[in-house]
Amino acid sequence: EVQLVESGGHLVQPGGSLRLSCAASGFTFASYWMSWVRQTPEMGLEWVASVKHDGTEKYYVDFVKGRFTLSRDNANNSVYLQMNRLRAEDTAVYYCVRDRRFLETLPDYFDFWGQGTLVTVSS
Amino acid sequence: QSALTQPASVSGSPGQSSTISCTGTSSDVGAYKLVSWYRHHPGEAPTVILYEVDKRPSGVSSRFSGSKSDNTASLSISGLRADDEAHYYCSSYAGSDTVIFGGGTKLTVL
């Protein structure tokens, strides 16, 4: 059974940092792209970032570029999202998702989602 | 990039059909057959119900179907059931290794 378990979300002040973790199990982690998607009441779902199965390619949505860094550890079946210079508008539930690719390259769909971890940015 | 446009809400009676639209541009929905749909019940993880416009993952009911015309994709649900009441989101590849979602549609089963 595929499982994705996020952790690390909590209350942080604007300008602060947070590191989210996602522990994966039930599939060959090193063979899949992984992504983070967040959900806010105002915007709904937003794609945040994706990392290739071997970690050699990473892509980010414009509004997190330069602030968020995605990494993965295939030895420990984990993916991480380092979030710096957090803003109030980053407040969201962050989901770790397994990322399916069309022809191994183009983003196709997200077939498994974790339960999410809540990040609140507020003073 | 602006979010794909979905109606905020739609409704239908049990047994009827309902359709949710998802409008983008010639740079995303109109450019690729990489549109997917997700169902989200509050408190649960979202689940994919369609991908590549009209393909159903294993285990998803044939009551769910998808189509696309120009810059608009559509999700149709036939034989509405009470547990179809949820939020539905569309998503599309938007070029340059980016993904864009719609704002979400709340389906109410009356």
Side-chain angles (χ1 to χ4, degrees):
Chain A
E1 178 194 5
V2 173
Q3 284 198 318
L4 300 169
V5 180
E6 304 94 338
S7 61
H10 62 81
L11 174 65
V12 62
Q13 291 189 338
S17 297
L18 211 53
R19 188 194 196 209
L20 304 184
S21 301
C22 171
S25 61
F27 63 102
T28 306
F29 180 75
S31 297
Y32 288 87
W33 287 69
M34 297 295 295
S35 295
W36 290 88
V37 173
R38 71 186 189 184
Q39 182 178 27
T40 67
E42 300 81 18
M43 299 298 295
L45 295 176
E46 295 180 301
W47 168 75
V48 175
S50 298
V51 58
K52 193 176 180 180
H53 48 79
D54 59 4
T56 57
E57 295 178 33
K58 301 172 188 179
Y59 300 97
Y60 301 89
V61 69
D62 283 347
F63 54 76
V64 307
K65 283 180 181 176
R67 300 189 300 124
F68 290 12
T69 302
L70 184 53
S71 61
R72 65 187 295 160
D73 179 352
N74 286 348
N76 288 298
N77 292 348
S78 294
V79 62
Y80 308 98
L81 186 65
Q82 176 66 43
M83 304 187 295
N84 298 329
R85 304 200 324 262
L86 282 161
R87 307 166 180 167
E89 53 266 36
D90 294 319
T91 295
V93 174
Y94 285 74
Y95 294 98
C96 173
V97 299
R98 194 172 79 170
D99 182 334
R100 303 305 299 271
R101 294 272 150 162
F102 181 73
L103 298 178
E104 301 297 323
T105 57
L106 300 183
D108 196 343
Y109 62 103
F110 305 117
D111 64 347
F112 285 97
W113 298 59
Q115 289 295 321
T117 186
L118 176 62
V119 173
T120 303
V121 184
S122 175
S123 54
Chain B
Q1 279 171 333
S2 299
L4 304 175
T5 301
Q6 298 181 233
S9 62
V10 298
S11 62
S13 300
Q16 289 187 334
S17 297
S18 188
T19 298
I20 299 172
S21 61
C22 169
T23 301
T25 70
S26 57
S27 296
D28 39 63
V29 174
Y32 310 97
K33 278 201 71 177
L34 296 176
V35 175
S36 51
W37 289 89
Y38 301 87
R39 180 164 76 168
H40 190 202
H41 287 113
E44 298 180 9
T47 57
V48 59
I49 52 175
L50 292 173
Y51 66 99
E52 293 174 22
V53 177
D54 58 6
K55 295 181 180 178
R56 286 187 304 275
S58 174
V60 173
S61 170
S62 59
R63 296 186 300 109
F64 296 92
S65 61
S67 62
K68 184 171 82 93
S69 177
D70 296 327
N71 299 337
T72 297
S74 297
L75 164 68
S76 295
I77 310 171
S78 62
L80 280 172
R81 303 177 346 185
D83 62 355
D84 291 328
E85 188 160 295
H87 283 88
Y88 291 82
Y89 293 89
C90 62
S91 175
S92 174
Y93 178 52
S96 302
D97 286 282
T98 63
V99 175
I100 190 170
F101 280 92
T105 299
K106 179 171 173 50
L107 170 63
T108 300
V109 181
L110 302 169

